[in-house]
Amino acid sequence: MPVAGTYDCLTKTPMGTQKGVLTVVPEGDTFTGEISGDLGTMPLENGTVDGDTIRWKMTMTKPMKIDLDCTATITGDDLAGKIKAGFFGTMDLTGTRRA
């Protein structure tokens, strides 16, 4: 199953569950995209694709600036992964591809 698509996502954060829309646009073994949600839009940086696993970085600016390291595995239309958020630790990320 290709990783391309738009995913409705939930991230379990210290501020509660955050909703977001993740867009993944593959370009060979790399990808670009963005995630948009209540805290604004963040571009995905340094995206890599390894089979059904994607990895990327992004920088959150609200409510404070923090660098995020992300990884997710896509199985069918489901996405499950982790976001490492510095001193906030690691947060669970889940999502479902839009039809």
Side-chain angles (χ1 to χ4, degrees):
M1 172 65 70
V3 298
T6 301
Y7 300 83
D8 291 311
C9 294
L10 297 174
T11 304
K12 306 273 187 192
T13 78
M15 300 181 332
T17 300
Q18 300 290 316
K19 293 181 181 180
V21 177
L22 175 70
T23 303
V24 176
V25 181
E27 299 170 356
D29 61 355
T30 66
F31 71 92
T32 60
E34 66 182 21
I35 189 163
S36 299
D38 294 336
L39 299 177
T41 299
M42 292 180 279
L44 309 182
E45 302 168 354
N46 302 319
T48 61
V49 178
D50 183 9
D52 291 338
T53 300
I54 58 175
R55 290 179 178 78
W56 71 97
K57 296 182 182 293
M58 50 191 182
T59 302
M60 183 174 73
T61 57
K62 295 179 188 174
M64 67 179 64
K65 184 176 181 191
I66 189 164
D67 293 326
L68 306 173
D69 290 312
C70 312
T71 185
T73 300
I74 299 167
T75 306
D77 289 329
D78 295 325
L79 175 148
K82 302 281 186 186
I83 298 175
K84 187 171 188 287
F87 58 86
F88 286 111
T90 301
M91 303 174 288
D92 290 329
L93 170 69
T94 59
T96 303
R97 188 188 327 251
R98 289 182 176 177

